[in-house]
Amino acid sequence: MRTEVVGHGGVRLGLRVEGDGNSRPIVFVHGWAQSAGCWAAQLADPALTERFRLVAMDLRGHGASDVPASGYDDPVAWADDLAAVLDFAGPGAIVVAWSYGGLVLTDHIRVHGTARLRGAVLVGAITEIGRDRPGGRVGPLMREHMRAMLSDDPDIAVPALTEFSRGMVTRPVPGAQAQALLGASLSVPPAVRSALFRRDIGSEDVLVRLDKPTLVAHGTADRVIEPSTAEHALGKIPGAVGRWFLDGGHAPFAESADEFDAVLRQFAEEC
């Protein structure tokens, strides 16, 4: 089911909802230049949909959400957007945050605390952004294509986004989903793709007060976000547990969906 909620500043946020509406919620937050569609394998997994209410959001400027002119550098905007989705999902949600989604989650905790959360899963995630921030170190694939992917010129941006999408994973992804991931990136306006990087904020003070069960999942061969960011989060979040996907890339939920779903289901049931 597709629906929407209203986030910070009246921005409409698109949602995809699956599963048992009376069950405990799991909220999925995608990464930079993606959409709720990246969680297709999870939203279609009966082992998850029969046990949980799954809510995948489109970040502002992405997917089916509004594309406001501002707010992309404002922690309060991101925090309030996620708060609106959590209010819709219901109390005690587990938040699964991928890549840039980890920064959105830390924004939420920074502004609103952890009261709405039952647990957190950081997947190939950054938790801060800016030069020399250990929780936001990008890998060689991102560094190689960054400038081109932010270009207004399609002759420059499209090939770069294509190569980035291919290099994001280390294992084959079903063809339709691989094309959907690329399509989601291409559908995000260049101005939005660029605006998400106009931030400089640390989150160590946020991580040390994350008082809910936390799982940190990361591919050991991730070329988008350095595995050291996961190590940073594990060293700061009290009681956090690490789960390494050996030789895995940046999107374990797509390239190793069965394994990822089993890990997520176990974590959610134990929370």
Side-chain angles (χ1 to χ4, degrees), residues 10-57:
V11 172
R12 294 177 301 166
L13 304 170
L15 303 178
R16 290 183 60 177
V17 183
E18 300 291 345
D20 184 349
N22 297 315
S23 297
R24 293 169 294 173
I26 300 177
V27 172
F28 296 88
V29 187
H30 66 78
W32 173 82
Q34 273 300 317
S35 76
C38 73
W39 307 106
Q42 289 66 54
L43 298 176
D45 185 347
L48 290 174
T49 59
E50 291 173 4
R51 292 173 173 84
F52 304 98
R53 185 186 194 204
L54 309 182
V55 180
M57 69 179 294

Side-chain angles (χ1 to χ4, degrees), residues 141-180:
L141 186 70
M142 177 67 82
R143 293 194 298 270
E144 178 183 356
H145 296 294
M146 173 72 78
R147 185 180 298 275
M149 291 191 297
L150 304 183
S151 176
D152 290 330
D153 186 342
D155 290 337
I156 297 175
V158 172
L161 286 164
T162 301
E163 289 304 310
F164 180 80
S165 183
R166 287 174 177 163
M168 192 166 58
V169 297
T170 59
R171 297 181 177 90
V173 174
Q177 186 173 11
Q179 292 186 46

Side-chain angles (χ1 to χ4, degrees), residues 179-267:
Q179 292 186 46
L181 291 170
L182 175 58
S185 294
L186 293 171
S187 71
V188 178
V192 174
R193 296 199 298 261
S194 179
L196 264 65
F197 289 105
R198 295 184 190 135
R199 301 185 61 185
D200 187 347
I201 190 168
S203 296
E204 290 190 9
D205 60 324
V206 176
L207 298 181
V208 298
R209 57 188 176 94
L210 207 175
D211 56 357
K212 304 293 183 178
T214 302
L215 175 67
V216 179
H218 212 107
T220 61
D222 190 341
R223 298 178 60 232
V224 177
I225 301 298
E226 292 282 1
S228 64
T229 62
E231 295 168 350
H232 175 77
L234 287 167
K236 297 296 180 182
I237 301 170
V241 175
R243 176 60 160 84
W244 296 98
F245 286 79
L246 297 180
D247 300 320
H250 187 52
F253 53 86
E255 57 187 289
S256 302
D258 290 344
E259 181 183 359
F260 179 86
D261 289 3
V263 170
L264 174 58
R265 185 172 66 251
Q266 180 178 350
F267 175 79

